[in-house]
């Protein structure tokens, strides 16, 4: 009975290109030796070539396993880093504040006064907070109701542009398909790509 030498291509099976194990290879090799033609035996060099190919395949399997382990560790580390952000504050683009959120006021030039107008989103009541030159330009919302905010700044009778930076409290982290989403105290969710900064 004539046999066909086992080659590297024999190790690749199925559409996902999985490699057979070393034990499988040895079983194939023993079977090949057992049933080879005694009048025309396989040359020792051919067996050495096959063993060499098996060593290469085993090394590839080990490398693949190592890379999968590194990839898994990196994903777990990344998820742990996002979980550690709970309780911290994230910079987001929004005009609504919830309890614990911080608003930093950034006038574009010199000013005499900045007025923050707060609108209670539950009752509709409006309230203003005034910031004079020299005051800390930060407002922390302590109320339980969410508020809408708008800001204006003046220097004498002239309007001054004023930007805001809203830092929202991170209350939790959702992880779906290994992609974290940060959850604010008001229930809003933010993909990590939309978060500009965490402090």
């Amino acid at each position: 009975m004539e046999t066909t030498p086992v080659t590297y291509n024999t190790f690749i099976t199925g559409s996902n290109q999985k490699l057979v194990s070393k034990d499988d290879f040895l079983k194939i090799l023993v079977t090949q030796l057992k049933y080879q033609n005694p009048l025309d035996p396989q040359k020792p060099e051919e067996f050495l070539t096959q063993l060499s190919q098996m060593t290469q395949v085993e090394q590839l399997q080990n490398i693949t396993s190592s890379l999968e382990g590194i990839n898994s560790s990196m994903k777990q580390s990344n998820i742990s880093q996002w979980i550690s952000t709970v309780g911290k504050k994230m910079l987001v683009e929004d005009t609504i504040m919830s309890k614990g959120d911080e608003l930093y006021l950034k006038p574009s030039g010199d000013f005499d006064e900045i007025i923050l107008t707060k609108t209670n989103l539950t009752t509709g009541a409006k309230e203003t907070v005034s910031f004079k030159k020299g005051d800390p330009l930060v407002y922390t919302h302590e109320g339980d109701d969410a508020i809408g905010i708008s800001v204006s700044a003046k220097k004498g009778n002239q309007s001054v542009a004023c930007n805001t930076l809203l830092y929202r409290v991170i209350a939790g982290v959702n992880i779906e398909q290994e992609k974290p989403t940060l959850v604010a105290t008001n229930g809003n969710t933010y993909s990590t790509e939309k978060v500009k900064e965490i402090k």
Side-chain angles (χ1 to χ4, degrees):
M1 173 183 192
E2 191 167 328
T3 59
T4 305
V6 178
T7 64
Y8 176 77
N9 291 335
T10 307
F11 300 118
I12 300 176
T13 60
S15 59
N16 55 0
Q17 303 289 296
K18 286 196 173 179
L19 303 175
V20 298
S21 70
K22 180 169 66 172
D23 292 338
D24 292 336
F25 174 80
L26 290 175
K27 286 177 187 175
I28 293 169
L29 193 60
V30 168
T31 302
Q32 186 177 343
L33 284 170
K34 187 175 178 182
Y35 293 106
Q36 71 177 325
N37 184 349
L39 300 176
D40 185 21
Q42 192 169 0
K43 295 178 182 175
E45 297 84 17
E46 293 175 349
F47 285 115
L48 288 174
T49 301
Q50 292 177 39
L51 285 171
S52 172
Q53 289 174 344
M54 180 56 204
T55 302
Q56 291 173 353
V57 169
E58 187 176 14
Q59 288 172 348
L60 286 173
Q61 285 178 317
N62 292 340
I63 291 169
T64 301
S65 296
S66 297
L67 289 175
E68 286 172 357
I70 291 169
N71 189 32
S72 177
S73 296
M74 288 176 67
K75 285 178 182 174
Q76 290 299 323
S77 173
N78 189 32
I79 289 169
S80 298
Q81 286 176 348
W82 286 113
I83 290 173
S84 71
T85 64
V86 173
K88 296 182 179 179
K89 295 181 180 178
M90 57 183 163
L91 176 59
V92 297
E93 287 186 15
D94 209 333
T95 57
I96 296 174
M97 295 184 72
S98 301
K99 187 171 185 175
D101 292 353
E102 286 181 344
L103 184 71
Y104 288 82
L105 307 170
K106 301 285 184 183
S108 60
D110 194 16
F111 70 97
D112 294 325
E113 184 180 31
I114 298 174
I115 297 174
L116 169 64
T117 303
K118 307 184 297 177
T119 304
N120 187 305
L121 298 182
T122 303
T123 65
K126 290 186 183 282
E127 185 183 343
T128 60
V129 179
S130 178
F131 298 85
K132 303 290 186 187
K133 192 170 184 178
D135 291 345
L137 299 180
V138 60
Y139 170 76
T140 302
H141 182 55
E142 300 296 345
D144 291 324
D145 292 338
I147 58 170
I149 55 166
S150 62
V151 176
S152 61
K154 288 186 177 180
K155 173 70 176 171
N157 293 327
Q158 300 290 320
S159 292
V160 177
C162 186
N163 296 318
T164 59
L165 298 176
L166 177 59
Y167 286 87
R168 180 155 283 165
V169 177
I170 301 170
V173 179
N174 284 337
I175 298 170
E176 294 179 8
Q177 297 177 346
E178 298 175 355
K179 289 187 177 180
T181 303
L182 303 180
V183 183
T185 50
N186 66 351
N188 286 2
T189 58
Y190 299 87
S191 64
T192 54
E193 295 84 20
K194 291 185 178 178
V195 177
K196 298 178 177 182
E197 181 187 344
I198 292 177
K199 73 179 187 83

